[in-house]
Amino acid sequence: MDYSSLILLVLAGLGIVSGNSTVTIAMVVLLLLRVTSFHSAFPWLERYGLTIGIIILTIGVMTPLASGKISINQVMESFLHWKSLLAIGIGILVAYLGGRGVTLMSGQPIIVTGLLIGTVIGVAFFKGVPVGPLIAAGLLSLLIGRS
């Protein structure tokens, strides 16, 4: 077994031990792609996987609005409450950081490894969600002065 497959297997094991199905499923899918003849999927996933993931995440977040669970009145009222205004501001900051993160990750791929390891640890042991690499890269870009 090669080292990449071994690392994926270890990360899948961490997902199982920590009870985090997101990490487990992702690692098993990648491991299956690796050990089968679907190596051609990797360049495609590297290029479009993040975009597809963000689209799916956005669909999940916007579903309550689309389904009518959140009304237009509730949306309008969110501009009148300080907590909602703070949430809007934080949302803007996070989107900005995510944009910087994408730029940093594409410009310095060596950083991706550390961010991914940190994200997997955060997901596996601290009940996090694997949206951390973009924000982490954005924060890192602020710290190291890269845009």
Side-chain angles (χ1 to χ4, degrees):
M1 181 179 289
D2 61 293
Y3 286 115
S4 295
S5 296
L6 183 61
I7 291 169
L8 291 172
L9 194 58
V10 167
L11 293 173
L14 283 174
I16 292 168
V17 168
S18 66
N20 194 304
S21 60
T22 305
V23 170
T24 306
I25 292 168
M27 296 307 121
V28 168
V29 166
L30 290 172
L31 188 59
L32 288 173
L33 288 173
R34 187 154 179 78
V35 299
T36 62
S37 60
F38 292 110
H39 287 103
S40 61
F42 287 127
W44 188 86
L45 285 171
E46 286 178 29
R47 183 165 184 188
Y48 300 110
L50 185 61
T51 301
I52 292 168
I54 291 171
I55 290 168
I56 292 170
L57 181 63
T58 303
I59 289 169
V61 169
M62 296 304 292
T63 298
L65 181 64
S67 70
K69 201 175 220 179
I70 296 175
S71 70
I72 190 69
N73 289 338
Q74 289 172 306
V75 171
M76 298 309 286
E77 287 173 8
S78 72
F79 290 99
L80 303 175
H81 194 276
W82 73 270
K83 288 181 182 177
S84 294
L85 289 172
L86 184 59
I88 290 168
I90 296 295
I92 292 168
L93 176 64
V94 167
Y96 169 73
L97 290 173
R100 286 184 64 111
V102 168
T103 302
L104 181 68
M105 289 171 77
S106 61
Q108 297 188 31
I110 190 69
I111 290 175
V112 174
T113 305
L115 293 171
L116 292 178
I117 290 170
T119 298
V120 168
I121 290 170
V123 169
F125 295 110
F126 300 106
K127 306 286 187 221
V129 183
V131 295
L134 290 178
I135 306 308
L139 288 170
L140 182 61
S141 76
L142 289 176
L143 293 173
I144 65 174
R146 306 270 184 197
S147 60

